[in-house]
Each structure stands twice: as C-alpha cells, then as structure tokens.
Amino acid sequence: MIPMQNELLDLIQKKTGIRPQLDDSFETLQIDSLGMAELTVEIEKAFGIRIHEDIMDVTNIAELITYIENKAGVRGAS
C-alpha cells in the first residue's frame, strides 16, 4: 500500500474508529454529509489539495483514493 493510501485510511479510522477497506462506502462507514465535510477539510490539509463539489460523486474509499491522486497529480493515478 502506498503512503498516501495508508495516510488516508488512518484519517478515516481516526474519524470512524473503524479501519476502512477499499470497497467500503461512506454509508457503510457511517460518514454522513457533515462527516464528509469534516473529512474533506482534513484531506485538503493532509495532501495539500483543493477539493471541489465533484467530491460528492465519490461513493467509496477506492474512488476517494483515485480522486485524491488525480487532484494531487500522483503518477499512475487512474
């Protein structure tokens, strides 16, 4: 697992108390819209990116990783 993924999973675990799996949805992790807004701020700080409203199209952890990689310009991002 690459460091960015591990850091993201750590952030989500701190927020939910559960170590997420890549296919976990935000609903499964019980992250509601307020929780997602808070997580978004933490992601922006941790990865130095700006997140826009298109984050609402992201439904699970794997998609969130791809979203962050694309925003951060990580090589090999889908």
Side-chain angles (χ1 to χ4, degrees):
M1 183 173 298
I2 63 173
M4 186 280 302
Q5 289 179 356
N6 201 32
E7 187 173 350
L8 177 62
L9 296 178
D10 288 346
L11 281 173
I12 295 169
Q13 184 174 0
K14 282 182 186 176
K15 178 152 214 48
T16 64
I18 301 167
R19 185 67 173 183
Q21 301 299 312
L22 295 180
D23 61 344
D24 283 343
S25 70
F26 298 114
E27 184 178 337
T28 301
L29 295 168
Q30 298 181 353
I31 299 175
D32 60 11
S33 57
L34 177 59
M36 191 62 180
E38 293 168 348
L39 183 60
T40 296
V41 171
E42 293 175 29
I43 291 169
E44 287 179 333
K45 289 179 188 176
F47 301 107
I49 61 173
R50 283 294 289 153
I51 294 179
H52 302 282
E53 290 182 16
D54 60 347
I55 190 75
M56 301 308 287
D57 296 333
V58 173
T59 61
N60 66 35
I61 302 304
E63 290 176 5
L64 182 58
I65 289 169
T66 300
Y67 180 91
I68 293 168
E69 288 173 342
N70 288 335
K71 291 289 182 184
V74 175
R75 291 186 93 183
S78 310

